[in-house]
Amino acid sequence: MDSFPGLRKVSSYASITDVDEVEISKLLEKKKVNLERKSSFDERSFSELDGYRSGIDTPSSSMRNSFEPHPMIGEAWEALRRSMVNFKGQPVGTIAAYDHASEEVLNYDQVFVRDFVPSALAFLMNGEPDIVKNFLLKTLYLQGWEKRVDRFQLGEGVMPASFKVLHDSARNSDTLIADFGESAIGRVAPVDSGFWWIILLRAYTKSTGDLTLSESPQCQKGMRLILALCLSEGFDTFPTLLCADGCSMIDRRMGIYGYPIEIQALFFMALRCALAMLKHDNEGNEFVERIIKRLHALSFHMRSYFWLDFQQLNDIYRYKTEEYSHTAVNKFNVIPDSIPYWVFDFMPTKGGYFIGNVSPAMMDFRWFALGNCVAILSSLATPEQSMAIMDLIEARWEELVGEMPLKISYPAIESHEWRIVTGCDPKNTRWSYHNGGSWPVLLWLLTAACIKVGRPQIARRAIDLAEARLQKDSWPEYYDGKVGRFVGKQARKYQTWSIAGYLVAKMMLEDPSHLGMISLEEDKLMKPLIKRSTSWTC
């Protein structure tokens, strides 16, 4: 995959000398505004942590005083720095994995947009914002390239899944190669890249106080192009975003086609981040109005139809079918017999979560970690729902955390269902990789969510588990087994986001004010939540 055959004929393969990069180069040369990290930017979305939430009973100052650096932190930073990629002498990202033992490099030697996010947060928290700024500008530059898969041209706003820097020592030149899905397994464009880019732009701005980047014409246009793609009107009657399998962190067929929770939560968070950064000029105001309308509809839809707790499960269990008109209670005509048996044992009486997918006659009841954590951080989840997600994690610790945090999905798909849903995918066998595997990178998302909800002790317990094995196992990409006991059968070693995810979790627990760059407070205008019981008793 690293050779990218055939790309010479399309403009997603080009040397810097072939494309005008003058405007973005000017931005790279600008000095940032010298403001403190805790700037006043976007105060609407995050009040600056007087104690992460009123529910926490340990002051952040005493938490910092009690924090003792773990000996593996030093090695983690060394490993993270080894993964850095330079373009023309400037750091522009980190490669996916630094695994010398692996015979197949595949695309692990590239800079992935989603993979770089925890690396970027680690650098921002460590007071090293330049690599993050360079990354944001470089991917913004790549967004402007013509994107073709076979003979079909992708939307103008699509961000690359990844890029690679080729060094020509003979000519003393660097060349960028970008992948927009044309080289990916399954040939699927990454829907999440654009959302992560917007979220990271806000994180950079919150961390540095440098408004010049987000307010630049280039970044404003980049945001608008991404938003134009996902806010376009069509035949869909739902405010959620219709997506193919393989368009996110779960980048191969895993039965998430439709409206996967990961994409909906990232979509919601990116919309809120963009709302805080868009200029209120003629072009910006048009998108601001569309974003506000979509956020209201999306929050209602997700909180009403994707949310599952004991009461809602019992309601669905008693659903009638074939209901017609706007008075229908079972709006998606879900057949109660389609509820999998495991859900009844899995669901505690206290706790809940956003299920994997909802569409006509289909509810995917699987737990997906990333979507639920982002729902908390973006305030897509109400405070009550956020607390319920934490209750579920504690109640089902063995299933969702086990011996290595954190299960990407639960439960695993097995037997005949596995053959049908995954297409007999030999990598996504049961309790492996995306099919119920345990991913250390999710530790930073879990930690951030725990701090926001005011339950850092859950994160501390998970970090203790990771510290017992991660360094000894050479920072693998993922773990296999029902409780994450075994290093993944095809897992790369020195996986960069496993390393960065650990560092971010540790730094956030040490200084909870870091949460401000990746968390959004609840928007009071989206309240009150329409209670399910209202529609149920119609």
Side-chain angles (χ1 to χ4, degrees), residues 417-433:
E417 186 183 10
W418 167 78
R419 287 190 286 273
I420 298 298
V421 171
T422 74
C424 299
D425 188 343
K427 197 165 184 178
N428 271 332
T429 52
R430 64 177 187 169
W431 306 114
S432 180
Y433 205 47

Side-chain angles (χ1 to χ4, degrees), residues 134-149:
N134 294 341
F135 170 85
L136 288 165
L137 288 170
K138 199 57 60 185
T139 45
L140 181 65
Y141 159 69
L142 295 172
Q143 183 197 40
W145 289 3
E146 183 184 56
K147 300 168 277 283
R148 287 183 182 272
V149 178

Side-chain angles (χ1 to χ4, degrees), residues 273-463:
C273 289
L275 189 60
M277 294 186 292
L278 282 171
K279 284 185 175 180
H280 288 264
D281 52 21
N282 288 337
E283 292 174 306
N285 281 335
E286 177 192 345
F287 281 98
V288 166
E289 186 177 340
R290 292 168 69 184
I291 288 171
I292 292 172
K293 287 181 180 177
R294 190 63 166 263
L295 283 171
H296 282 352
L298 187 59
S299 62
F300 170 80
H301 184 94
M302 297 298 295
R303 293 170 181 178
S304 301
Y305 306 126
F306 273 68
W307 181 252
L308 189 73
D309 54 23
F310 185 83
Q311 182 59 51
Q312 177 69 344
L313 179 59
N314 202 88
D315 291 350
I316 296 169
Y317 179 65
R318 291 168 49 81
Y319 267 170
K320 295 178 180 179
T321 58
E322 307 300 327
E323 293 182 303
Y324 179 73
S325 88
H326 64 277
T327 59
V329 174
N330 185 0
K331 298 183 190 304
F332 300 99
N333 197 37
V334 174
I335 312 300
D337 286 346
S338 69
I339 304 173
Y341 291 118
W342 65 264
V343 180
F344 296 101
D345 294 327
F346 179 73
M347 179 60 70
T349 53
K350 181 184 178 185
Y353 64 105
F354 289 98
I355 64 174
N357 218 318
V358 175
S359 60
M362 194 277 282
M363 296 182 82
D364 182 351
F365 289 91
R366 284 177 294 172
W367 151 273
F368 290 92
L370 195 153
N372 276 275
C373 288
V374 172
I376 291 174
L377 293 174
S378 65
S379 289
L380 171 59
T382 65
E384 296 77 17
Q385 288 173 336
S386 298
M387 198 65 76
I389 292 170
M390 288 298 150
D391 289 337
L392 178 87
I393 291 172
E394 283 199 307
R396 296 292 174 257
W397 187 264
E398 276 298 301
E399 292 91 337
L400 302 181
V401 182
E403 295 186 18
M404 177 56 66
L406 181 66
K407 282 275 179 244
I408 188 173
S409 62
Y410 180 88
I413 304 170
E414 304 183 61
S415 305
H416 180 64
E417 186 183 10
W418 167 78
R419 287 190 286 273
I420 298 298
V421 171
T422 74
C424 299
D425 188 343
K427 197 165 184 178
N428 271 332
T429 52
R430 64 177 187 169
W431 306 114
S432 180
Y433 205 47
H434 301 134
N435 191 11
S438 299
W439 291 69
V441 64
L442 297 171
L443 192 61
W444 82 264
L445 283 158
L446 175 65
T447 300
C450 289
I451 293 172
K452 183 175 183 184
V453 176
R455 290 162 77 170
Q457 68 278 7
I458 298 176
R460 192 178 294 278
R461 184 181 172 192
I463 289 172

Side-chain angles (χ1 to χ4, degrees), residues 123-373:
F123 287 122
L124 288 173
M125 291 177 187
N126 203 45
E128 303 177 56
D130 288 348
I131 185 174
V132 182
K133 183 175 183 178
N134 294 341
F135 170 85
L136 288 165
L137 288 170
K138 199 57 60 185
T139 45
L140 181 65
Y141 159 69
L142 295 172
Q143 183 197 40
W145 289 3
E146 183 184 56
K147 300 168 277 283
R148 287 183 182 272
V149 178
D150 293 330
R151 298 181 180 183
F152 182 70
Q153 186 165 323
L154 277 67
E156 192 179 358
V158 173
M159 280 286 184
S162 63
F163 66 87
K164 184 176 180 178
V165 178
L166 293 181
H167 300 283
D168 186 339
S169 54
R171 298 183 179 181
N172 193 26
S173 65
D174 289 343
T175 304
L176 281 180
I177 298 175
D179 177 18
F180 294 92
E182 69 269 35
S183 297
I185 292 173
R187 301 300 186 265
V188 180
V191 177
D192 62 339
S193 287
F195 298 151
W196 278 123
W197 187 88
I198 291 175
I199 292 165
L200 186 56
L201 179 62
R202 177 196 176 261
Y204 170 86
T205 310
K206 284 286 289 183
S207 176
T208 64
D210 178 10
L211 300 174
T212 59
L213 184 62
S214 63
E215 291 183 353
S216 68
Q218 294 84 358
C219 283
Q220 291 288 311
K221 181 182 178 182
M223 279 191 286
R224 291 196 302 268
L225 287 175
I226 295 168
L227 295 168
L229 272 180
C230 58
L231 292 174
S232 59
E233 296 168 348
F235 289 99
D236 212 324
T237 58
F238 311 141
T240 41
L241 200 60
L242 182 62
C243 298
D245 255 318
C247 67
S248 59
M249 179 181 175
I250 298 176
D251 61 359
R252 51 211 294 150
R253 184 174 164 190
M254 262 292 289
I256 65 169
Y257 181 90
Y259 306 90
I261 179 61
E262 176 178 335
I263 290 297
Q264 311 316 317
L266 286 172
F267 179 31
F268 183 88
M269 189 167 191
L271 288 179
R272 291 201 63 197
C273 289
L275 189 60
M277 294 186 292
L278 282 171
K279 284 185 175 180
H280 288 264
D281 52 21
N282 288 337
E283 292 174 306
N285 281 335
E286 177 192 345
F287 281 98
V288 166
E289 186 177 340
R290 292 168 69 184
I291 288 171
I292 292 172
K293 287 181 180 177
R294 190 63 166 263
L295 283 171
H296 282 352
L298 187 59
S299 62
F300 170 80
H301 184 94
M302 297 298 295
R303 293 170 181 178
S304 301
Y305 306 126
F306 273 68
W307 181 252
L308 189 73
D309 54 23
F310 185 83
Q311 182 59 51
Q312 177 69 344
L313 179 59
N314 202 88
D315 291 350
I316 296 169
Y317 179 65
R318 291 168 49 81
Y319 267 170
K320 295 178 180 179
T321 58
E322 307 300 327
E323 293 182 303
Y324 179 73
S325 88
H326 64 277
T327 59
V329 174
N330 185 0
K331 298 183 190 304
F332 300 99
N333 197 37
V334 174
I335 312 300
D337 286 346
S338 69
I339 304 173
Y341 291 118
W342 65 264
V343 180
F344 296 101
D345 294 327
F346 179 73
M347 179 60 70
T349 53
K350 181 184 178 185
Y353 64 105
F354 289 98
I355 64 174
N357 218 318
V358 175
S359 60
M362 194 277 282
M363 296 182 82
D364 182 351
F365 289 91
R366 284 177 294 172
W367 151 273
F368 290 92
L370 195 153
N372 276 275
C373 288

